[in-house]
């Protein structure tokens, strides 16, 4: 039996159960249901994340939970709801629908309307259109079997609209699901994000630079259930603020896929200079990456992260050879995950476009990695060589200073959090 749960803390509008037709969105659960005994926890997280997404919308909303399906509706209207819930990771299918009374007559009326609506959306009602009806009878007290229901509805739609039946590749698929509380009629099926509910695999700290790769990597980590905070290293005081603005805008886009999390900004410029003065030479870039890995690990541990995430892709640039990636791993005290290791650059850019991060990534900025970059970057850094450079610095102290200089931004709200300090850190 579906349970109804309020979506927003403040506002809660209920669908009138006996209203003629209630617009809503059906969300079909994804992989979450492969999870046997963990199912209840996964489902709880999925619904928490859904409620977070709905709270950002203007107007009251409602959520009803069924088996393997969740229904959502409310004041923001169908288009706004669909746009918002499509971003919630863990739902495979998103179907705008109407809930109507469970009589053949009523379902038939609304099927005709739904077909006309889909026709209008597709071609402004012009030309010919084909359709198929798929029916599912979850309420076994309904008098017709699923196939008899589909046939009866199909016949009526055909007769009243002149649309053609095509069961193999219809232009429009009408779906009728008969439930105890009513019947759901939908005219389109949109792909959801799929994946595991954010938070179900723990937490991570994603290293966010300004490029295409790292936001896509963070998204992929989220899709495997990791709730991601972000860290961005800037070349400050030797670079301007452009890269911070970009990281902020990227984190904001990414936060649309998860309950909003924090972006930490760490000025790295002075430490980069220290590495250069220590004679890093052609190891400069890898030495910087190791310092980022060390600092991000320390930050991540304080934040309760289980792993780091980067946008490295094997062989994409000189710093991303197996030897160099291994040298960076060696400096990280948290597991370093690289979701894009086997991806082509074009695949990454295509996904960045789909996610909406590409428009930000393409903007120019002064990347801290190009600051002090040697003309030639080694492709086979050895840990012994890097340690020789690092021994000339007080590494622990340096990491401590970098952490003390880290500042948090909340990309959902656009302002620094006054007085926010790292756990265990006091701010002046
Ligand atoms: P991206 O497109 O993400 O910038 P890239 O192709 O430019 O990646 P690199 O610059 O070699 O590759 O960086 C590899 C990874 O290291 C990035 O994907 C990111 O996770 C991390 N990284 C690099 N620079 C920074 C930075 N300034 N701040 C935080 N993370 C960084
Ligand atoms: Mg980069």
């Amino acid at each position: 039996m579906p349970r109804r749960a309020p979506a927003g803390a403040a506002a809660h509008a209920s669908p009138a159960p006996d209203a003629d037709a209630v617009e809503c969105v059906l969300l079909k659960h994804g992989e979450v249901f492969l999870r046997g005994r963990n199912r209840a926890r996964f489902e709880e997280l999925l619904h928490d994340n859904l409620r977070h997404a709905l709270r950002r919308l203007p107007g009251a909303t409602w959520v009803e939970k069924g088996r393997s399906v969740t229904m959502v509706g409310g004041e923001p209207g169908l288009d706004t709801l669909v746009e918002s819930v499509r971003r919630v990771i863990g739902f495979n299918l998103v179907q705008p629908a109407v809930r109507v009374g469970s009589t053949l007559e009523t379902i038939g009326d609304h099927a005709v309307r739904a077909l006309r609506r889909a026709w209008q959306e597709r071609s402004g009602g012009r030309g010919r259109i084909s359709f198929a009806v798929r029916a599912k009878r979850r309420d076994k007290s309904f008098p017709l079997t699923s196939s008899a229901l589909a046939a009866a509805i199909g016949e009526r739609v055909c007769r009243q609209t002149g649309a053609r039946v095509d069961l193999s590749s219809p232009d429009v698929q009408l779906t009728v699901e008969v439930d105890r509380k009513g019947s759901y009629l939908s005219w389109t099926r949109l792909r959801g994000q799929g994946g595991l509910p954010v938070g179900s695999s723990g937490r991570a700290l994603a290293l966010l630079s300004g490029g295409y790769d790292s936001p896509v990597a963070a998204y992929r980590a989220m899709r495997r259930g990791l709730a991601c905070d972000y860290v961005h290293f800037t070349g400050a005081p030797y670079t301007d603020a452009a890269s911070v603005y970009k990281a902020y805008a990227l984190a904001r886009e990414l936060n649309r896929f998860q309950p909003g999390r924090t972006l930490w900004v760490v000025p790295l410029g002075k430490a980069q200079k220290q590495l250069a003065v220590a004679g890093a030479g052609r190891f400069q870039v890898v030495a910087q990456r190791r310092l980022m890995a060390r600092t991000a690990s320390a930050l991540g541990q304080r934040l309760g992260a289980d792993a780091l995430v980067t946008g490295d892709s094997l062989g994409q640039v000189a710093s991303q050879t197996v030897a160099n990636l291994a040298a960076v791993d060696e400096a990280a005290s948290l597991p370093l995950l690289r979701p894009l290791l086997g991806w082509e650059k074009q695949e990454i850019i295509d996904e960045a476009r789909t996610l909406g991060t590409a428009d930000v990534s393409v903007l120019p900025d002064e990347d801290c990695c190009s600051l002090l970059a040697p003309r030639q970057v080694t492709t086979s850094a050895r840990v012994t060589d890097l340690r020789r450079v690092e021994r000339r610095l007080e590494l622990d102290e340096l990491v401590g200073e970098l952490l003390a200089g880290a500042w948090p931004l909340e990309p959902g709200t656009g302002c620094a959090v006054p007085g926010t300090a790292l756990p265990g850190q006091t701010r002046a």
Side-chain angles (χ1 to χ4, degrees):
M1 162 119 180
R3 279 183 294 132
R4 183 175 303 157
H12 176 198
S14 306
D18 55 354
D20 183 32
V22 179
E23 290 198 327
C24 59
V25 187
L26 302 185
L27 300 166
K28 303 290 172 67
H29 302 177
E31 219 175 308
V32 57
F33 286 104
L34 300 175
R35 296 291 153 150
R37 278 178 301 149
N38 281 335
R39 175 173 162 160
R41 190 177 72 87
F42 274 58
E43 218 186 351
E44 204 171 302
L45 266 171
L46 188 59
H47 287 118
D48 282 352
N49 294 346
L50 174 64
R51 275 190 284 272
H52 262 100
L54 293 175
R55 254 183 236 137
R56 297 173 190 163
L57 301 181
T61 54
W62 52 265
V63 175
E64 279 184 12
K65 303 171 193 174
R67 245 185 113 71
S68 307
V69 61
T70 299
M71 281 74 78
V72 174
E75 292 170 358
L78 218 45
D79 291 347
T80 307
L81 283 171
V82 167
E83 149 85 11
S84 165
V85 299
R86 270 192 94 178
R87 291 177 175 273
V88 178
I89 291 174
F91 293 112
N92 269 10
L93 269 180
V94 176
Q95 292 178 221
V98 281
R99 182 161 81 197
V100 302
S102 289
T103 65
L104 188 57
E105 182 63 19
T106 313
I107 297 172
D109 283 348
H110 284 279
V112 169
R113 278 190 230 175
L115 193 276
R116 290 197 172 123
R117 180 174 189 159
W119 199 337
Q120 196 63 33
E121 282 171 11
R122 276 180 74 90
S123 62
R126 283 184 296 277
R128 283 211 79 187
I129 199 164
S130 64
F131 77 101
V133 181
R134 216 175 114 255
K136 202 189 281 172
R137 183 182 59 146
R138 275 195 287 270
D139 174 10
K140 300 297 178 204
S141 69
F142 188 77
L144 297 185
T145 62
S146 298
S147 53
L149 174 61
I153 300 295
E155 192 275 323
R156 174 149 175 211
V157 171
C158 210
R159 183 160 39 86
Q160 281 191 241
T161 66
R164 183 168 55 85
V165 173
D166 178 348
L167 298 181
S168 53
S169 67
D171 295 322
V172 176
Q173 182 171 291
L174 293 178
T175 309
V176 185
E177 301 178 33
V178 182
D179 235 329
R180 269 165 44 107
K181 279 190 135 186
S183 293
Y184 295 88
L185 223 150
S186 93
W187 54 93
T188 183
R189 290 148 69 85
L190 305 168
R191 280 242 314 263
Q193 300 297 323
L196 303 174
V198 172
S200 60
S201 299
R203 289 173 63 175
L205 181 62
L207 280 79
L208 211 57
S209 55
Y212 288 105
D213 309 339
S214 47
V216 175
Y219 166 76
R220 284 279 153 174
M222 288 175 200
R223 267 191 71 190
R224 298 313 301 164
L226 285 167
C228 290
D229 286 303
Y230 319 93
V231 59
H232 172 68
F233 294 91
T234 82
Y238 308 114
T239 53
D240 63 21
S243 77
V244 180
Y245 297 148
K246 278 181 77 176
Y248 179 89
L250 290 170
R252 194 184 179 107
E253 282 299 321
L254 291 167
N255 270 350
R256 301 214 280 162
F257 296 97
Q258 65 172 0
R261 300 200 72 94
T262 306
L263 166 67
W264 292 87
V265 178
V266 180
L268 194 71
K270 285 185 181 157
Q272 290 179 260
K273 228 175 204 161
Q274 287 185 42
L275 283 170
V277 171
R282 64 200 173 91
F283 300 118
Q284 177 78 23
V285 171
V286 183
Q288 284 170 191
R289 286 290 146 75
R290 276 168 64 88
L291 188 55
M292 285 185 196
R294 252 182 246 282
T295 309
S297 296
L299 176 59
Q301 270 154 2
R302 289 202 196 176
L303 299 173
D306 308 296
L308 304 179
V309 175
T310 71
D312 293 302
S313 152
L314 188 60
Q316 191 189 87
V317 289
S319 59
Q320 293 171 3
T321 59
V322 171
N324 287 356
L325 296 180
V328 175
D329 280 341
E330 200 270 340
S333 50
L334 283 177
L336 208 164
L337 308 180
R338 298 183 169 101
L340 306 185
L341 195 78
W343 287 43
E344 307 269 329
K345 190 75 188 184
Q346 193 54 50
E347 291 171 332
I348 297 171
I349 294 175
D350 290 346
E351 174 131 325
R353 292 212 173 100
T354 309
L355 297 179
T357 54
D359 289 344
V360 181
S361 295
V362 74
L363 300 171
D365 71 313
E366 276 184 286
D367 176 18
C368 78
C369 297
S370 43
L371 181 74
L372 304 171
R375 224 178 295 154
Q376 241 197 336
V377 177
T378 182
T379 53
S380 54
R382 286 182 317 181
V383 170
T384 43
D385 295 326
L386 288 153
R387 286 212 183 117
R388 205 171 43 245
V389 176
E390 289 168 352
R391 265 200 299 274
R392 295 176 198 141
L393 307 174
E394 292 293 338
L395 263 190
D396 290 344
E397 228 170 80
L398 189 55
V399 170
E401 280 166 23
L402 289 171
L403 281 189
W407 42 288
L409 295 169
E410 301 298 335
T413 62
C415 51
V417 188
T420 310
L422 278 172
Q425 174 193 21
T426 41
R427 227 161 221 283

